[in-house]
């Protein structure tokens, strides 16, 4: 069977992507060992992207469970700038800073480290199609309220959704 140039390029891209995914998994395993030994504190930023009652979540190549687009805040970077950068890098969505809510700061001990995550929200309107690199982020999709309880999510996402639901409850203090 003769392969076309396109088929060879697709195969090459698939092998490259698989190599990156393996690298991410190995690096993440090493980081978890380091975190277990050092118990560091980390500052992160994440963004909850909504389209009506549907929440956009991502699946990484190195962690189980769906999560919000986000990551670490770099030295000299604000949490807002980190959230904007992560949304662009992970799902290809460029957000206007003015369209983000004030952050909800969630502190948690997760994967052997103390995380302080600045979580922003934004309403996207009609579902904006996410794009993923198939290396770090292998999937992204919107989940509606009926699907979310049945999906494996990271503790940050579950905690955020519980907090959001409690604020939406009748008589809840805002």
């Amino acid at each position: 069977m003769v392969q076309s140039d396109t088929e060879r390029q697709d195969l090459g891209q698939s092998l490259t992507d698989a190599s990156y995914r393996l690298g991410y998994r190995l690096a993440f395993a090493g980081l978890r060992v380091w975190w277990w030994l050092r118990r560091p504190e980390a500052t992160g930023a994440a963004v909850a992207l909504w389209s009506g009652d549907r929440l956009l979540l991502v699946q990484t190549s190195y962690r189980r469970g769906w999560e919000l687009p986000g990551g670490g805040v770099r030295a000299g970077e604000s949490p807002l700038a980190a959230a904007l950068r992560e949304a662009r890098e992970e799902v290809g969505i460029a957000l206007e800073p003015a369209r983000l809510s004030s952050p909800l700061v969630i502190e948690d001990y997760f994967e052997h480290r103390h995380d302080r995550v600045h979580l922003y929200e934004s309403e996207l309107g009609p579902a904006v199609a996410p794009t993923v690199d198939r290396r770090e982020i292998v999937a992204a999709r919107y989940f509606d309220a009926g699907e979310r309880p049945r999906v494996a999510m990271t503790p940050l996402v579950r905690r955020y959704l519980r907090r959001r639901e409690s604020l939406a409850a009748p008589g809840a203090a805002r």
Side-chain angles (χ1 to χ4, degrees):
M1 181 172 165
V2 176
Q3 285 185 326
S4 70
D5 287 341
T6 302
E7 289 172 325
R8 278 193 294 277
Q9 288 174 340
D10 289 347
L11 177 60
Q13 187 65 48
S14 293
L15 291 173
T16 300
D17 292 347
S19 297
Y20 271 93
R21 288 190 297 269
L22 176 61
Y24 276 113
R25 281 192 294 275
L26 294 172
F28 187 68
L31 278 174
R32 290 197 60 196
V33 169
W34 180 249
W35 296 335
W36 183 79
L37 292 169
R38 301 288 300 175
R39 307 285 199 248
E41 292 189 13
T43 301
V47 62
L49 300 171
W50 291 91
S51 177
D53 75 338
R54 299 170 60 219
L55 176 63
L56 180 64
L57 297 174
V58 298
Q59 176 68 61
T60 67
S61 58
Y62 50 86
R63 181 183 281 142
R64 291 184 181 179
W66 290 84
E67 55 192 293
L68 297 167
V73 176
R74 296 174 178 165
E77 183 179 44
S78 71
L80 175 60
L84 296 170
R85 175 180 50 78
E86 291 288 348
R88 190 176 57 257
E89 289 175 359
E90 293 190 354
V91 291
I93 297 175
L95 299 169
E96 293 294 324
R99 304 250 344 203
L100 295 177
S101 66
S102 296
L104 169 66
V105 178
I106 298 177
E107 294 195 47
D108 204 2
Y109 188 77
F110 180 58
E111 294 177 328
H112 312 296
R113 67 182 182 178
H114 177 250
D115 279 331
R116 180 184 173 104
V117 178
H118 298 257
L119 201 156
Y120 298 86
E121 289 182 304
S122 183
E123 174 61 46
L124 296 176
V128 174
T131 59
V132 298
D133 63 8
R134 300 186 40 78
R135 294 176 177 184
E136 179 186 10
I137 307 299
V138 296
R141 64 172 284 240
Y142 291 91
F143 290 89
D144 64 35
E147 291 177 288
R148 289 193 296 265
R150 299 185 308 270
V151 176
M153 292 185 236
T154 60
L156 174 68
V157 178
R158 293 228 180 263
R159 191 167 176 192
Y160 160 67
L161 289 171
R162 279 194 307 272
R163 171 88 57 91
R164 192 170 200 271
E165 289 165 5
S166 71
L167 290 175
R174 293 196 179 253

